[in-house]
Amino acid sequence: MRFNRSVLTAAAFAALAVGTTTALAAPASAAPNTTPQKVCGSAYKTVNSAAVGSLGTVYLTYNPANGENCVATIRNNPGTAVDMSTWVHIPDTQEYAEDYGRYTSYAGPAYVYGKGYCVSWGGGINNVYVQVNDSNCAARKEHRVTTTR
């Protein structure tokens, strides 16, 4: 089944608006010094990132040992639980993973196998969202969009 990016993004934002969490997501904790490696695992190295306005950052990480990408959205200032999301999509294989809900520190991790493929990924905090399409794929130029709703 093929999904276009706007459909995937709309689905992620709609799920965020509902305020539910995915059944397989582990609850996020309020660790003040949270890093992408603490969320995804120590074998995952940060390969890209995107600011979510001034609220935090979405990190794309990669584990060369297993070919998996992991995405986590981390707040700059943990505190009261707010709507947060993170997602990752491999357009060529249609693999998709997400995490969304009300968290105090971070959303994620979300894992997909992505060795040798372009990656689309993003996340949101409160009403600020960032989306990065066609990322980390050699000569192809990525496309970033930040929106406020």
Side-chain angles (χ1 to χ4, degrees):
M1 178 186 310
R2 300 242 345 138
F3 294 99
N4 76 30
R5 289 181 195 109
S6 61
V7 169
L8 288 172
T9 303
F13 291 150
L16 180 62
V18 171
T20 61
T21 58
T22 56
L24 300 177
S29 64
N33 295 317
T34 301
T35 66
Q37 288 68 37
K38 287 181 181 176
V39 177
C40 293
S42 61
Y44 288 80
K45 306 303 177 210
T46 300
V47 294
N48 210 332
S49 63
V52 184
S54 62
L55 302 174
T57 304
V58 182
Y59 295 92
L60 173 66
T61 65
Y62 181 72
N63 181 340
N66 65 13
E68 282 189 338
N69 288 102
C70 176
V71 177
T73 302
I74 302 175
R75 287 172 62 179
N76 289 340
N77 299 304
T80 304
V82 297
D83 290 335
M84 294 184 69
S85 65
T86 200
W87 61 270
V88 59
H89 177 234
I90 307 297
D92 288 347
T93 65
Q94 295 303 312
E95 277 205 61
Y96 180 78
E98 66 183 0
D99 181 37
Y100 52 88
R102 294 186 59 80
Y103 298 127
T104 58
S105 183
Y106 64 89
Y111 299 95
V112 295
Y113 180 82
K115 184 174 185 176
Y117 294 105
C118 296
V119 182
S120 294
W121 51 280
I125 302 171
N126 279 337
N127 63 341
V128 180
Y129 306 92
V130 64
Q131 176 176 335
V132 182
N133 294 319
D134 295 326
S135 163
N136 296 67
C137 49
R140 188 182 284 175
K141 183 170 172 40
E142 71 182 25
H143 178 71
R144 292 180 181 232
V145 176
T146 302
T147 58
T148 303
R149 294 180 190 223

